[in-house]
Amino acid sequence: MRIAVTGSIATDHLMAFPGRFVDQLLPDQLEHVSLSFLVDTLEVRRGGVAANIAYGLGGLRLEPVLAGAVGPDFAEYEVWLKEHGVNTDAVHVSTEHQTARFMCMTDRDTNQIASFYAGAMAESARIDLRALHARTPLDLVLVSPNDPGAMVRHTEQARELGIPFAADPSQQLARLTGEEVRNLVTGARWLFTNEYESALLLERTGWSRTEVLGRVGTWITTLGAQGVRIDTQGEPSLTVDAVPDARVEDPTGVGDAFRSGFLAAVSWGLPLETAAQLGCAISALALAAVGSQAYEIEPGRLLDTVRTVYGERPASLLEPKLGQRA
């Protein structure tokens, strides 16, 4: 399956605060918040949702096509992605703006406060999926957080071309209008959110859960340490547990790692439960590393994790797929 991953490409500035954010918030002063946090560490890492997902898919040897906008400072990052199996031919390089910046602070409870500078991402709508599809026929388009206009354009182009698409509005739900969210979701084969984003999506669209499920193929909701829930209209919810006792170093990009494992497995024709199990296993790898692309996929170790946590059946289904791509 040829997967195009549209969305953000960024540099992550990751900081660790040794305390708890909630301890610094005064209930009677929330309308006048003015805080500065002294952090213990700063890590500058490669990131961006689309690049993170493409990195995971590349590690699984799916050769994803990355479609996002960057600045002239992208050269070293591009080499890294190519070395990890990502096709960057569809990346737009701006002559005016630098690559986007993600600045995130994590406290000891793994709560996060973040900000995002779009930079070159504002030019993402210039990427034409029709031209890309004409050069390299696509089997799936993932629309992940990006410039809102680009997200709408790429969704509409996927519909026009008859290419199945996955909707992953996540962080941009705070910026998108209700009409935009309804447009992005309707007709998606896969809809990805975390638990908070699922509630925000319902608020933005004005739809009930039943109405959302009537408009998408399958809704995948990540639940952090509780794993993932999969909902399809007319079928009971399926819940898959996270990998227990996973080492926690940095939660940034863990959801992106899940998406790469899930999409790889469904592209191989494996059951949804197995897809979620692979996604959770790769999430555990990302969680144990500092930075969204600091983990390495080793098929043998990955299979051992799946076998230990989820049993022999999913491991036996994944083994020939991972073996062919080892």
Side-chain angles (χ1 to χ4, degrees):
M1 179 180 283
R2 194 69 159 167
I3 301 175
V5 184
T6 74
S8 63
I9 304 168
T11 300
D12 290 349
H13 295 249
L14 308 176
M15 294 160 279
F17 175 61
R20 302 171 70 238
F21 295 145
V22 295
D23 292 339
Q24 319 307 317
L25 300 174
L26 302 176
D28 60 344
Q29 295 293 318
L30 294 181
E31 294 182 358
H32 309 283
V33 175
S34 179
L35 292 170
S36 176
F37 296 90
L38 179 63
V39 298
D40 285 353
T41 61
L42 167 65
E43 298 279 351
V44 180
R45 303 281 178 166
R46 305 172 184 90
V49 172
N52 293 341
I53 296 171
Y55 172 85
L57 290 169
L60 293 165
R61 306 299 191 269
L62 267 78
E63 300 181 0
V65 179
L66 178 60
V70 299
D73 55 338
F74 180 61
E76 183 179 345
Y77 193 171
E78 182 176 27
V79 171
W80 164 267
L81 290 170
K82 286 183 174 180
E83 288 176 346
H84 289 82
V86 178
N87 183 320
T88 62
D89 292 348
V91 171
H92 167 79
V93 181
S94 171
T95 59
E96 302 174 18
H97 304 288
Q98 296 295 300
T99 302
R101 297 289 188 273
F102 174 65
M103 288 151 281
C104 182
M105 181 169 50
T106 304
D107 74 0
R108 73 183 189 196
D109 294 333
T110 69
N111 294 313
Q112 294 183 313
I113 296 175
S115 58
F116 190 87
Y117 166 68
M121 194 179 80
E123 300 179 21
S124 296
R126 300 183 188 181
I127 298 171
D128 187 357
L129 293 187
R130 291 170 297 194
L132 176 59
H133 184 59
R135 295 196 307 271
T136 309
L138 303 172
D139 301 299
L140 179 72
V141 172
L142 172 62
V143 180
S144 69
N146 201 357
D147 173 76
M151 295 174 73
V152 171
R153 183 182 193 218
H154 295 151
T155 300
E156 291 176 344
Q157 287 187 331
R159 287 196 192 98
E160 292 167 2
L161 293 166
I163 305 171
F165 68 95
D168 180 18
S170 50
Q171 293 101 320
Q172 285 293 48
L173 284 169
R175 178 73 178 265
L176 296 164
T177 67
E179 182 179 356
E180 288 171 333
V181 178
R182 290 190 289 271
N183 187 3
L184 293 171
V185 167
T186 301
R189 175 167 294 183
W190 312 106
L191 169 62
F192 292 98
T193 61
N194 63 27
E195 195 166 22
Y196 180 81
E197 292 160 357
S198 67
L200 187 56
L201 184 143
L202 296 177
E203 186 273 333
R204 284 286 188 273
T205 60
W207 291 337
S208 66
R209 291 188 61 82
T210 300
E211 288 173 319
V212 173
L213 290 173
R215 291 170 168 83
V216 304
T218 298
W219 188 355
I220 303 100
T221 305
T222 54
L223 307 171
Q226 282 67 53
V228 60
R229 184 180 65 246
I230 301 175
D231 293 294
T232 304
Q233 187 178 41
E235 298 182 13
S237 291
L238 171 65
T239 301
V240 172
D241 292 335
V243 173
D245 303 319
R247 183 162 61 91
V248 178
E249 289 292 337
D250 177 22
T252 308
V254 170
D256 303 335
F258 172 84
R259 286 153 174 74
S260 66
F262 182 91
L263 290 173
V266 296
S267 78
W268 297 330
L270 299 181
L272 293 182
E273 183 175 23
T274 305
Q277 290 164 339
L278 177 61
C280 288
I282 296 178
S283 293
L285 292 178
L287 188 62
V290 177
S292 304
Q293 299 173 31
Y295 66 94
E296 292 286 343
I297 294 176
E298 300 177 20
R301 292 181 62 185
L302 192 59
L303 282 171
D304 287 344
T305 298
V306 171
R307 183 174 288 108
T308 299
V309 177
Y310 303 112
E312 185 59 41
R313 182 175 183 274
S316 66
L317 292 173
L318 286 166
E319 187 167 16
K321 306 299 181 181
L322 293 173
Q324 291 169 9
R325 294 161 175 80

